[in-house]
Amino acid sequence: MKSFLSLKYLRYFCFIFLSFCFVQVFGQSKVISVKGKILDEAGKPVPGVSVVLKSTTTGTISNQDGLYSLPVPEDAILVFSSVSYESQEIAINKRSVIDVTLMPSNKILNEVVVVGYGTQSKRAVTGAVASINNKQFQDRSFSNVAQSLAGQVAGVNISQAQGAPGSSPFIKIRGVSSITAGTNPLLVVDGVPLENFNLNMINPQDIESVEVLKDASSAAIYGSRGSSGVIIVTTKLGKVGKTNVSANFEYGSQKVTRQIKMMDAQQFIRTYIDAKNNAWIDAGGKATDGNALRPTLLKIPEDFLTNPQQFGTGTNWQDVMFRVAPSYNGQISVSGGTEKTQYMFSGAYLDQTAVLDMNYYKRLALRSNIKTAVTDRLTVGLNLGVTTIFDRTEGTKGKSDVISLGLQSNPHFPVYNENGNLGYRDPNSTWFRFTAFGDMNLWHPYSLTREVDKGTKSFNTLGTAYLEYNILKNLKFRTSLSANLFNTRNHFYWNDKQKYGYSAVLAAQANAGNSYMLNWLSENTLTYDKQIGDHSFTGLVGYTSQKQRDETMYVAANNFPNDLVHTLNAGTVTAGNTTASEWSLLSYIARLQYNYNSRYFLTAAIRRDGMSRFGDNNKWGYFPSVSAGWLISDEAFMSDIKSINNLKLRVSYGVTGNNQIPNYGAISLLAASNYVYGGTMSNGLRVSNIANPNLKWEKTNMFNIGLDLGILNNRLSGSIEYYNSLTRDMLLFVPVPDITGFSSQLTNIGQMRNRGIELNISSKNVVGNFNWTTDFNFSRNRNKVLQLGPGNAPIQYVDNVVTVRTEVGQPVSNFYGYIFDGVFKNQAEIDAYPHHASTTPGDPKVRDVNGDGKITDADRTIIGNNQPDFIAGMTNTLSYKGFEFSFMLQGSYGGEIANNNIRYLGTWDNGRNFYASMYNYWRSESDPGDGIHFKPNVSYKGLQKQFSSYWVEDASFLRMKNIRLSYAIPSKLLNKIACKSARVYVNAENVFILTKYKDGYDPENTTYGTTTYSSSMETSGSYTSGNAPVPGAFQGVDYGSYPLPRVITVGIKADF
Amino acid sequence: MKKFKHILAACLTGVVMSSCSDSFLKLAPVSNPNAETFFKTKADFDLASNAAYATLYTIYNPEGPISYMGELMGDNVTILNISGNMADKWQFRDYTLAPANTMVYQFWQDFYRSLYNINIVISKVETSELEAASKDKIKGEMMFLRALYYFNMVQIWGDLPLVTAPITAAESYGVLRSPASEVYAQIVKDLQFAADKLPLASAAGVGKASKGAAQSLLGKVYLTMGDKTKAANTLKEVVNSGQYQLLPNYTSLWDPKNKNTKESIFEIQFLGGSSTAPFSDYYLGFFPNSNALGFYGSGMNQVVDDIWNEYETGDSRRVASIDTGFTDAKGVFTKVKFPKKWQDKTAPIIGQRIAANNNFMVLRYADVLLMLTEATGDAQYLNQVRKRVGLPEYGTAAYPSKYNSIELATEHERRVELAFEFHRWFDLKRTNRALTVLPSKGKAVTQAKLLIPIPNVVRDQNSKITQNAGY
């Protein structure tokens, strides 16, 4: 906050204050009477045209003959508008007769699109911008507006990695442009660029439109942060006219429809016994040998052998942890305005119970957007959104979180033991007999959900205050000050002993954390419009500064006397720390938009960014772009071709950057490393990373060419895009030889290419009383690494055994491992083929990839990649009178998913439960099973625990993403209750999915997030998250995930 | 128009004023110290050398490289259930190590990261303005640590990239494996410097490397190099320094109340009782992989019957070294053998771990005495060790006849005296007995397997690095 008080800002505010002083009120001018005739293109009179004095509500309407007349000030401006014609503004200039010819409006071309630092008509767009408006997601039951973009926008791959309420989807715009730097697109909310902002903080129903800036020329105005694309979210503002009160209530029900098929108790027991016997036989024993003869590791519970039937089918832990969960969502908004002042106030409350036991998500979102013209020249406004989220979300952290642990738990244990406790570690339970075996597994879901008191409370305030001043008629100055203040608190208390349901009997423990973030932004722009004949110019220059500070706090305690008090004061504090971290950014922007006759368009822009994260020698970077458009259909020579309504060619080229690296990535940091001398601890400091004063921006150059087409009265419209982007100076944590003392260094190295095509088609199949439209989009992206670090050494990351490898000539992050060609059915097959020395019949057949007759590390090869060959979406909407029915299909083809849970559930792993799919494993030469699943074995054989094609599955899917039915209640019924309009609707999300991914919940599941660098990583001196060294490299690795529930919602929406 | 000029001027001033702020973009880390201003004062170097000592926690961790090599590849222990990547861990026990083994790579990283922490102190102190005496002490201590690590590494991998100063990534591609003889030459050079410059144990400071520590290690290095004369001379200096003696009670050597004794020559220092201090993980690390008692044993180095049977009747060291089981909450006793030396009965359990207070001795006087017998063939040193535990002396009639040479007697004595202290495999290798002893215990060991593979990641990154024969 110190900087706010600095001299610089004092001056800044003085300047704003002065700007007010310059404001001058227009003088009164003489009133005259103006009349005229309004005609259409063909010269026919147009009745019903509204003729209004600009910036007032005074006006009139043209009569049957197209005639109008009204008294007006002699220097005023008249606005002529009508539904099917383009509006016109005409200055009176002391004339008394003004005849007007209106041109029919081309709706598509005149829609307004929000671009960086301004808006444009679609006609003038020269880059690749996709726009989604409120109508396209108004009935969808999402907490995050980005979720509703899935399947709707070509070139934008939105995947819901985790199904928990409030989980943000991963957004990839036109492929992956970085290997180790962050790849999240920049989010711009009401003009405020925010890095890694949680869009759940904006109530989707407050959003007017979402624009996706896909190509470099559109995104270049956001310069250094644009290379993963930009998503612009614009909230609603009231429209001139009568106040509108809108109310909406929804009830929803969520259900997990796709469980992972796990073995039941009988199957598990048999597999467990076989795994032990197979190992014992390998060691020279006999399957019939009793426990007395066996080593500890191979002993089998007597119950399993003598009376397995007592366990029945056992417990399906998924039935225990998942439930059908309701949700309620209600909101009220009030909007409206006069020519001078427009406003929108809204309040919304979402109360969602999660499908996972004890989990919930509650959000209160309040918004106030207001804009007022203080004088004809001066407009001020304030957008303020305050959001509170209370949630408890578990199961998304992978292998050691509730859901994965539930799957790993043995099915023969009951939900409650005879004492009402949860687990077999209860010393007073007969189940305690199983503690004699080290390979019994139970992480009872309730021991983590009901024996734990936890939750998170988040508070977000995002406010933008702005002032616009028309210095001259065409010259506008705008200044804004924005702040995003985010606070989150979490608490955790684990009951003493957890009712014996956890893998250990633990004493009570608790912790609490708090994090704080303040991001402020000051923007100042000057915009100049000029029309000279057919030439029109818009110029923009600006200067912005932005700074963010993050702080964290953490306290832990134990030694609680009992479970009565869960706050930390009841125990003994054992650990605590606080951290802080900052970044800052200064930018200069300039843009010139030119068009000739609204037919030829040219845009050139440049941004200069300086950022604290980069090395002293390279803090600043330039990001230029240029683009052009040609509206061919407006050419005279096209006027004969009636069937073509719209034909436009767009070409663009630009440079964008990526700054998503750790805040102090260029600086060599020291980390604590303490030692003890004679019973006293002495502080120590070690160098935790290598400095790089030359660290600079990662840059992406992108070329884009697009063609828009509308034919048959725009019944069929669409666009096609081709792009080619080259990322260079990649911000890479390059693995360096460990003999340096470090395993990686952040440096600018390497090149990568993304190129692809995108196709959008929109067709009005049937029009009339019955309407049927189809919207289809298709995109494919090809990613290829062109150059890497010294010697182009491949970059390889390993999590458990799952290996992702990035090498030149290949797409980023290939899965890399052995190929399993089924199972060796007998000794003869083994003898006839190269095999790992430990191989016995029933063990995996590993392919000798390099053909050297041996199975070695060199036989590992590329076995998949998560990036799809193409993605597509199709929405069909049918409407008849008040009914509207639509359904959306979303598909992804050609990617693979690596199932890291195979480690626990697809092979023997210390007695954890198994996938039911592997039950048909090799049992003997005469009972060889399905030929895919090798025999279970406590002593692993033949590379079964190594990463292989056995772990990789096809991630292609076709999903019925959404089905929606709505009915608009006829207005004659509504009039009686003073209701303008009302709709009832039913909406279903994630209705069904067709996929080959059998042993996971969903082919979109990914356990690790996209790469982001948080301040807590800074202070720990390690830029890793969980087990994955670089989480972004592990996209498409499922290491325990949350299923995507099916959600069915019914709702009613009414406007008064 | 005049008005417009005013506004434009104000506007531009605003822009210019705010842009004069490169300081706005120069942000120093808030919660991390920054290396740019470090390595200047004596206090800085103390902090940095403390961090170098702290690398001992990694290298001598119960699941660290010396434990895996010294015990698991020998015949004292096995592992059954163990957390983490079990298959890769079993490969050490079974002599089936592959270059892709994740633990092998982990150990490689552990060693070279630790060496960086040492090398940077040595190189920075050289050019610092510290007074000569301080410089020599810091350098001597760091060179002792560097020698200790390279000595372990050269026995584990053979030829090695020899890094003795911080190097850049670009330079590192040119650093290939030096022959083992060059690595030994560097070790000897470092230890001679340390032995020359470091004070005696009594003046070195608790926990610090001393002259005696350098000499003891140098003696072991000479033995390993096959130079018994130099070894004997160096080790005798340790004996003659008068700094060290055997404690009367073998069991009390690991007592947390009895740290840094007269028998201890180089000891890794731990502080128990709190999760924020570096506590001792050895008992926990070697406890069976069970959580029956409220803490989670790792299951490392589970004792096999072969060493249990190695102890002579009446050797009290067996009970002092090996636990035979544990009793769970319900009073059920589980029979399982595991190392006991580092037990701290009064330590609190914090977050499923025992925050124990025992230190770990890397070098102790009994080791020196036994090395002296190995170097000289003179049983008097060995017999001092036996006398302490009241066992018949070598050469007397009561001495077990099966150890019928001084070499076999030394081998036997080292095995039981130094059990589970990470010596066994190194001893067998040094005395060229590994290929005789280990196969008889069912280990599939060959000459080539006495060196572990260079991790494949290392060779993927720099293909000029060679692989050991047999991998």
Side-chain angles (χ1 to χ4, degrees), chain A residues 259-269 308-322 405-417 421-424 431 441-446 913-914:
Chain A
Q259 282 197 359
I260 296 175
K261 290 188 181 65
M262 302 302 298
M263 287 193 190
D264 67 20
Q266 297 304 316
Q267 293 172 319
F268 165 72
I269 289 168
Q309 289 75 24
Q310 65 176 302
F311 302 105
T313 54
T315 305
N316 176 352
W317 293 108
Q318 294 174 92
D319 288 342
V320 175
M321 61 185 150
F322 294 130
L405 291 175
L407 297 176
Q408 294 170 40
S409 293
N410 296 150
H412 68 285
F413 290 122
V415 181
Y416 294 102
N417 69 17
N421 278 325
L422 300 176
Y424 70 100
W431 291 95
N441 296 280
L442 178 65
W443 294 268
H444 196 302
Y446 293 167
N913 198 11
F914 307 91

Side-chain angles (χ1 to χ4, degrees), chain A residues 219-258:
Chain A
I221 199 71
Y222 291 107
S224 63
R225 298 183 282 183
S227 71
S228 293
V230 178
I231 293 182
I232 300 181
V233 171
T234 309
T235 58
K236 288 176 181 169
L237 188 63
K239 293 180 180 59
V240 177
K242 219 181 139 200
T243 299
N244 184 59
V245 179
S246 175
N248 181 201
F249 182 77
E250 278 178 7
Y251 168 79
S253 173
Q254 312 151 78
K255 184 172 193 254
V256 176
T257 49
R258 222 178 154 254

Side-chain angles (χ1 to χ4, degrees), chain A residues 679-811:
Chain A
T680 333
M681 195 161 82
S682 302
N683 292 321
L685 286 175
R686 66 183 164 83
V687 176
S688 62
N689 62 302
I690 315 176
N692 184 355
N694 295 318
L695 199 66
K696 62 184 175 190
W697 304 90
E698 173 175 305
K699 286 186 174 176
T700 298
N701 296 31
M702 188 191 276
F703 169 78
N704 188 83
I705 181 164
L707 191 72
D708 300 332
L709 181 68
I711 56 173
L712 308 170
N713 272 332
N714 283 323
R715 283 280 292 273
L716 190 63
S717 62
S719 66
I720 183 164
E721 312 261 353
Y722 167 82
Y723 60 88
N724 188 355
S725 83
L726 183 74
T727 304
R728 61 206 152 83
D729 295 333
M730 283 195 286
L731 285 165
L732 211 53
F733 277 100
V734 188
V736 296
D738 293 281
I739 60 172
T740 58
F742 299 90
S743 40
S744 69
Q745 184 184 17
L746 185 55
T747 186
N748 296 92
I749 215 155
Q751 292 189 350
M752 182 156 69
R753 185 177 69 202
N754 280 287
R755 58 184 177 194
I757 53 165
E758 294 165 0
L759 181 67
N760 270 303
I761 298 171
S762 185
S763 164
K764 298 185 177 100
N765 305 323
V766 180
V767 288
N769 272 342
F770 173 70
N771 283 288
W772 173 26
T773 62
T774 301
D775 295 294
F776 173 78
N777 68 76
F778 168 94
S779 34
R780 73 179 257 167
N781 182 72
R782 285 290 180 276
N783 168 274
K784 190 173 177 180
V785 175
L786 303 178
Q787 188 198 323
L788 288 171
N792 280 330
I795 296 174
Q796 206 163 289
Y797 297 111
V798 181
D799 180 18
N800 175 37
V801 294
V802 170
T803 305
V804 292
R805 180 176 166 107
T806 295
E807 57 191 306
V808 170
Q810 289 288 329

Side-chain angles (χ1 to χ4, degrees), chain A residues 11 15 427 475 503-504 506 543 580 584 588 612 616 668 670 676-677 683-685 737-738 741 743 857 860 910 1019, chain B residues 4 10 17-19 24-26 31 33 35 47 50-51 53 81 100 105 109 113 117 172 269 291 330 352 456 461:
Chain A
R11 286 188 193 160
F15 162 64
L475 179 68
S503 65
L506 303 178
Y543 169 75
S584 56
Y588 301 91
S612 62
D616 281 350
S668 177
L670 300 173
V676 172
Y677 296 106
N683 292 321
L685 286 175
D738 293 281
S743 40
D857 292 347
R860 291 176 303 161
N910 197 33
T1019 40
Chain B
F4 163 62
M17 278 189 308
S18 329
S19 71
F24 184 76
L25 296 180
K26 198 155 165 58
S31 292
L47 288 169
N50 289 347
Y53 274 103
N81 273 343
Y105 179 50
Q109 290 183 306
R113 280 179 192 175
N117 284 298
S172 72
Q269 312 287 310
N291 48 13
K330 217 183 174 186
Q352 300 189 71
N456 65 355
Q461 283 178 7

Side-chain angles (χ1 to χ4, degrees), chain A residues 112-121 188 191 211 213 221-222 232 234 468 476 478 523 525 527 538 540 589 591 593:
Chain A
V112 169
V113 173
V114 181
V115 294
Y117 304 94
T119 57
Q120 265 185 326
S121 70
V188 179
E211 266 83 12
L213 309 184
I221 199 71
Y222 291 107
I232 300 181
T234 309
E468 291 171 0
K476 187 165 85 178
R478 179 187 156 103
E523 289 189 332
T525 55
T527 321
T538 304
L540 168 82
I589 53 177
R591 179 172 63 198
Q593 291 162 311

Side-chain angles (χ1 to χ4, degrees), chain A residues 582-584 610-614 619 663, chain B residues 24-27:
Chain A
E582 296 176 325
W583 60 259
S584 56
M611 191 170 204
S612 62
R613 284 178 188 150
F614 292 94
K619 282 210 190 300
N663 283 345
Chain B
F24 184 76
L25 296 180
K26 198 155 165 58
L27 299 177

